[in-house]
Short mmCIF file of all heavy atoms in Angstrom, two decimals:
data_model
loop_
_atom_site.label_atom_id
_atom_site.label_comp_id
_atom_site.label_asym_id
_atom_site.label_seq_id
_atom_site.Cartn_x
_atom_site.Cartn_y
_atom_site.Cartn_z
N LEU A 274 28.02 12.01 23.69
CA LEU A 274 29.06 11.03 23.46
C LEU A 274 29.88 11.34 22.23
O LEU A 274 31.12 11.25 22.22
CB LEU A 274 28.43 9.65 23.32
CG LEU A 274 27.82 9.04 24.58
CD1 LEU A 274 27.04 7.79 24.29
CD2 LEU A 274 28.90 8.76 25.62
N CYS A 275 29.18 11.76 21.14
CA CYS A 275 29.90 12.11 19.91
C CYS A 275 30.83 13.29 20.12
O CYS A 275 32.00 13.27 19.66
CB CYS A 275 28.89 12.44 18.82
SG CYS A 275 28.04 11.00 18.13
N ALA A 276 30.34 14.32 20.80
CA ALA A 276 31.17 15.52 20.99
C ALA A 276 32.40 15.21 21.80
O ALA A 276 33.51 15.65 21.44
CB ALA A 276 30.32 16.60 21.70
N LEU A 277 32.25 14.44 22.88
CA LEU A 277 33.41 14.11 23.72
C LEU A 277 34.38 13.21 22.97
O LEU A 277 35.61 13.37 23.10
CB LEU A 277 32.93 13.47 25.03
CG LEU A 277 32.18 14.37 25.98
CD1 LEU A 277 31.64 13.58 27.16
CD2 LEU A 277 33.07 15.50 26.46
N ASN A 278 33.84 12.27 22.22
CA ASN A 278 34.70 11.35 21.47
C ASN A 278 35.50 12.07 20.40
O ASN A 278 36.70 11.84 20.20
CB ASN A 278 33.89 10.19 20.88
CG ASN A 278 33.55 9.13 21.89
OD1 ASN A 278 34.27 8.90 22.83
ND2 ASN A 278 32.40 8.50 21.71
N PHE A 279 34.81 12.96 19.67
CA PHE A 279 35.50 13.72 18.65
C PHE A 279 36.64 14.61 19.24
O PHE A 279 37.73 14.67 18.69
CB PHE A 279 34.52 14.63 17.88
CG PHE A 279 33.79 13.93 16.79
CD1 PHE A 279 32.41 14.02 16.72
CD2 PHE A 279 34.46 13.16 15.84
CE1 PHE A 279 31.70 13.36 15.71
CE2 PHE A 279 33.74 12.51 14.81
CZ PHE A 279 32.36 12.61 14.76
N MET A 280 36.35 15.21 20.40
CA MET A 280 37.37 16.03 21.04
C MET A 280 38.55 15.21 21.50
O MET A 280 39.72 15.59 21.33
CB MET A 280 36.77 16.80 22.21
CG MET A 280 37.74 17.79 22.85
SD MET A 280 36.98 18.76 24.15
CE MET A 280 35.91 19.80 23.20
N ALA A 281 38.27 14.02 22.04
CA ALA A 281 39.34 13.15 22.50
C ALA A 281 40.22 12.67 21.34
O ALA A 281 41.44 12.66 21.45
CB ALA A 281 38.76 11.93 23.21
N VAL A 282 39.58 12.33 20.22
CA VAL A 282 40.34 11.90 19.06
C VAL A 282 41.22 13.04 18.53
O VAL A 282 42.41 12.86 18.19
CB VAL A 282 39.40 11.40 17.95
CG1 VAL A 282 40.15 11.20 16.64
CG2 VAL A 282 38.74 10.08 18.37
N ALA A 283 40.66 14.24 18.48
CA ALA A 283 41.41 15.39 18.00
C ALA A 283 42.60 15.71 18.90
O ALA A 283 43.70 15.97 18.43
CB ALA A 283 40.50 16.62 17.89
N GLU A 284 42.36 15.61 20.20
CA GLU A 284 43.44 15.90 21.18
C GLU A 284 44.54 14.83 21.10
O GLU A 284 45.72 15.15 21.09
CB GLU A 284 42.82 15.91 22.57
CG GLU A 284 43.68 16.60 23.63
CD GLU A 284 42.89 16.90 24.89
OE1 GLU A 284 42.16 17.91 24.88
OE2 GLU A 284 43.01 16.13 25.84
N ALA A 285 44.14 13.57 21.00
CA ALA A 285 45.12 12.50 20.92
C ALA A 285 45.91 12.54 19.60
O ALA A 285 47.11 12.29 19.57
CB ALA A 285 44.39 11.16 21.03
N THR A 286 45.22 12.95 18.52
CA THR A 286 45.90 13.04 17.23
C THR A 286 46.95 14.17 17.30
O THR A 286 48.04 14.01 16.76
CB THR A 286 44.88 13.32 16.12
OG1 THR A 286 43.97 12.22 16.04
CG2 THR A 286 45.57 13.46 14.78
N ARG A 287 46.57 15.26 17.92
CA ARG A 287 47.53 16.38 18.02
C ARG A 287 48.75 15.96 18.85
O ARG A 287 49.90 16.30 18.54
CB ARG A 287 46.85 17.56 18.67
CG ARG A 287 47.71 18.81 18.79
CD ARG A 287 48.20 19.30 17.43
NE ARG A 287 48.96 20.49 17.54
CZ ARG A 287 49.72 20.99 16.56
NH1 ARG A 287 49.75 20.38 15.40
NH2 ARG A 287 50.41 22.09 16.74
N LEU A 288 48.51 15.19 19.91
CA LEU A 288 49.62 14.71 20.75
C LEU A 288 50.53 13.80 19.95
O LEU A 288 51.76 13.86 20.10
CB LEU A 288 49.05 13.96 21.97
CG LEU A 288 50.09 13.34 22.90
CD1 LEU A 288 50.98 14.43 23.54
CD2 LEU A 288 49.40 12.50 24.00
N ALA A 289 49.95 12.94 19.11
CA ALA A 289 50.76 12.04 18.30
C ALA A 289 51.68 12.80 17.34
O ALA A 289 52.74 12.37 17.01
CB ALA A 289 49.86 11.09 17.50
N ARG A 290 51.21 13.98 16.93
CA ARG A 290 51.97 14.79 15.97
C ARG A 290 52.98 15.69 16.63
O ARG A 290 54.01 16.06 16.02
CB ARG A 290 51.01 15.61 15.12
CG ARG A 290 50.18 14.80 14.16
CD ARG A 290 49.22 15.67 13.39
NE ARG A 290 48.49 14.90 12.38
CZ ARG A 290 47.49 15.38 11.64
NH1 ARG A 290 47.10 16.63 11.80
NH2 ARG A 290 46.93 14.62 10.72
N ARG A 291 52.67 16.09 17.87
CA ARG A 291 53.57 17.05 18.56
C ARG A 291 53.43 16.90 20.09
O ARG A 291 52.38 17.10 20.63
CB ARG A 291 53.20 18.50 18.15
CG ARG A 291 54.03 19.53 18.86
CD ARG A 291 53.57 20.94 18.49
NE ARG A 291 54.34 21.92 19.23
CZ ARG A 291 54.10 23.23 19.14
NH1 ARG A 291 53.12 23.66 18.36
NH2 ARG A 291 54.84 24.11 19.80
N THR A 292 54.51 16.54 20.76
CA THR A 292 54.44 16.50 22.23
C THR A 292 54.41 17.89 22.81
O THR A 292 54.68 18.87 22.14
CB THR A 292 55.65 15.73 22.81
OG1 THR A 292 56.82 16.34 22.35
CG2 THR A 292 55.68 14.28 22.36
N HIS A 293 54.00 18.06 24.16
CA HIS A 293 53.86 19.37 24.87
C HIS A 293 52.75 20.20 24.28
O HIS A 293 52.78 21.42 24.35
CB HIS A 293 55.20 20.12 24.86
CG HIS A 293 56.35 19.35 25.40
ND1 HIS A 293 56.42 18.97 26.74
CD2 HIS A 293 57.48 18.87 24.83
CE1 HIS A 293 57.53 18.29 26.96
NE2 HIS A 293 58.21 18.21 25.79
N THR A 294 51.77 19.58 23.67
CA THR A 294 50.62 20.31 23.12
C THR A 294 49.56 20.54 24.17
O THR A 294 49.51 19.83 25.18
CB THR A 294 50.02 19.53 21.89
OG1 THR A 294 49.08 20.39 21.25
CG2 THR A 294 49.32 18.25 22.39
N ALA A 295 48.71 21.51 23.96
CA ALA A 295 47.62 21.78 24.92
C ALA A 295 46.62 20.60 24.88
O ALA A 295 46.25 20.13 23.83
CB ALA A 295 46.91 23.07 24.53
N MET A 296 46.23 20.15 26.09
CA MET A 296 45.28 19.02 26.17
C MET A 296 44.21 19.32 27.21
O MET A 296 44.19 18.76 28.31
CB MET A 296 46.06 17.72 26.55
CG MET A 296 47.15 17.37 25.55
SD MET A 296 47.95 15.79 25.89
CE MET A 296 46.61 14.66 25.44
#
Side-chain angles (χ1 to χ4, degrees):
L274 291 172
C275 286
L277 292 174
N278 282 329
F279 278 129
M280 186 176 289
V282 169
E284 198 166 280
T286 300
R287 183 61 178 166
L288 177 63
R290 291 177 174 175
R291 178 183 177 183
T292 56
H293 305 295
T294 190
M296 302 186 71

